Amino acid sequence: MIVNCPEDFLTELSRGGYEAEGPAPVKAVLMVEPAGFCISAQSATDNQYMNAGDSADPGRAMEQFHNLVGLISSQGIEVVVFPGDPETPDALFPNNVFATTRDRLIIGRMLHPIRQKEADRQDIRAYFESRGYQTVDLSTADCVAELTGSLIIDSARRIGFCGMSKRVDQAGLEAMHEAFDLKLVFSFELPPCEYHTNVVLMVLADRACVIYPGGFVDPAVPEAIGKAFPGRTLFLNEAEKNAFAGNCIALTEHDLFMSQTGLNALRPSSRAALEAWGFVIHSTALDEIEKAGGSLRCMVAEIF
């Protein structure tokens, strides 16, 4: 079911049938090296977090990438690293293009042509096919569906939250609802200044969420989402959001990863709330990579 107003979402949630089916821990994560790191002019056209005039330091970006790989690996999480390609400079953000369920590899349909090339990678397709995943390929469909950039998923309850922007259309929303085998998707409009939902909203380990209330056209939307996580909703302020504090990811029930920029921006009360909910925050510097308009969560595609 897809609903698009807060009242309908809360009514449907109250009817029951959305109890957690158990935790959905990741088996591993997929990451792609920032080969030939640069600022993509195409992506900058609708990503306010980018400045097409910024200089880029490929060596520093690669160093920060591997520091993140090491940080995630240090918590006992397997990291599967694929090489990058200078012809696809945004490939270091694979979560928009590749996503998984327990038995499916889902390939997204990207808005910008430079990103559509990423979906053609045979090495990533072969990796999952060899492990028994069924491929659901949206990359040639008549839609726009930028996967977990646009669609935030509570895997335990099979609920999705989809912010509508240029990066996802109605056909893409419906295709992702089916591909991820979700019970319920709540769709809502993002303001023109926001390109992906995962900058203004993130579900953490299927038991908490962080959300920036100003990142939604209808102010009733963040209130409704917060009610889906009673007592465990952290409302970010604009400075925290702009520093990518919301572009974080919990890869275990307790291990929460965000960039050093995001962590530095957290108010003491925000950090205290996350820690009170049992999260241990791990961070590393990603400021060079953040020039490309995304941060830590964008760099990590979960393998379930």
Side-chain angles (χ1 to χ4, degrees), residues 13-279:
L13 202 62
S14 69
R15 288 177 177 158
Y18 299 100
E19 293 76 18
E21 297 178 356
V26 298
K27 295 177 184 175
V29 299
L30 180 156
M31 297 178 63
V32 177
E33 289 182 326
F37 179 74
C38 67
I39 310 303
S40 168
Q42 283 185 25
S43 297
T45 59
D46 65 339
N47 184 336
Q48 68 155 351
Y49 301 93
M50 299 175 67
N51 180 350
D54 276 347
S55 61
D57 185 337
R60 189 163 184 262
M62 187 68 78
E63 179 183 5
Q64 291 187 346
F65 173 88
H66 283 289
N67 286 344
L68 176 57
V69 171
L71 178 66
I72 295 173
S73 298
S74 72
Q75 301 309 309
I77 300 162
E78 181 184 359
V79 182
V80 181
V81 177
F82 286 87
D85 182 343
E87 292 188 4
T88 56
D90 287 339
L92 79 159
F93 300 133
N95 83 301
N96 310 143
V97 188
F98 301 102
T100 66
T101 65
R102 289 182 176 87
D103 58 3
R104 295 179 181 178
L105 167 67
I106 302 162
I107 302 174
R109 170 67 176 178
M110 305 301 291
L111 172 67
H112 295 298
I114 196 169
R115 298 221 61 189
Q116 292 170 8
K117 296 178 182 180
E118 298 171 37
D120 293 333
R121 291 192 64 146
Q122 296 305 306
D123 55 349
I124 292 178
R125 291 168 179 255
Y127 174 86
F128 287 99
E129 288 170 4
S130 70
R131 286 158 178 79
Y133 286 78
Q134 173 193 354
T135 299
V136 179
D137 190 353
L138 305 181
S139 67
T140 59
D142 185 15
C143 68
V144 180
E146 297 205 352
L147 302 189
T148 56
S150 297
L151 180 67
I152 309 305
I153 299 175
D154 177 342
S155 298
R157 292 188 287 182
R158 291 169 58 198
I159 298 173
F161 304 91
C162 191
M164 306 302 290
S165 71
K166 292 180 180 179
R167 303 300 186 96
V168 60
D169 60 16
Q170 185 64 30
L173 168 65
E174 294 171 5
M176 290 192 296
H177 180 289
E178 181 178 352
F180 285 98
D181 191 27
L182 299 174
K183 292 181 178 179
L184 174 65
V185 174
F186 179 20
S187 75
F188 40 81
E189 294 293 327
L190 299 181
C193 60
E194 300 296 349
Y195 75 110
H196 270 159
T197 319
N198 70 9
V199 179
V200 298
L201 169 67
M202 195 62 206
V203 172
L204 306 179
D206 301 319
R207 63 186 183 87
C209 80
V210 295
I211 190 167
Y212 169 60
F216 304 81
V217 170
D218 182 352
V221 167
E223 292 182 18
I225 295 173
K227 289 177 182 177
F229 301 90
R232 288 187 174 174
T233 298
L234 172 59
F235 291 101
L236 301 175
N237 66 18
E238 186 175 12
E240 291 171 316
K241 185 270 296 186
N242 286 341
F244 292 111
N247 196 244
C248 57
I249 187 168
L251 292 175
T252 73
E253 187 177 357
H254 299 290
D255 292 300
L256 175 61
F257 297 83
M258 70 174 61
S259 74
Q260 192 64 48
T261 306
L263 181 59
N264 290 346
L266 280 185
R267 292 166 292 172
S269 59
S270 297
R271 181 166 185 167
L274 292 169
E275 291 175 345
W277 299 336
F279 291 107

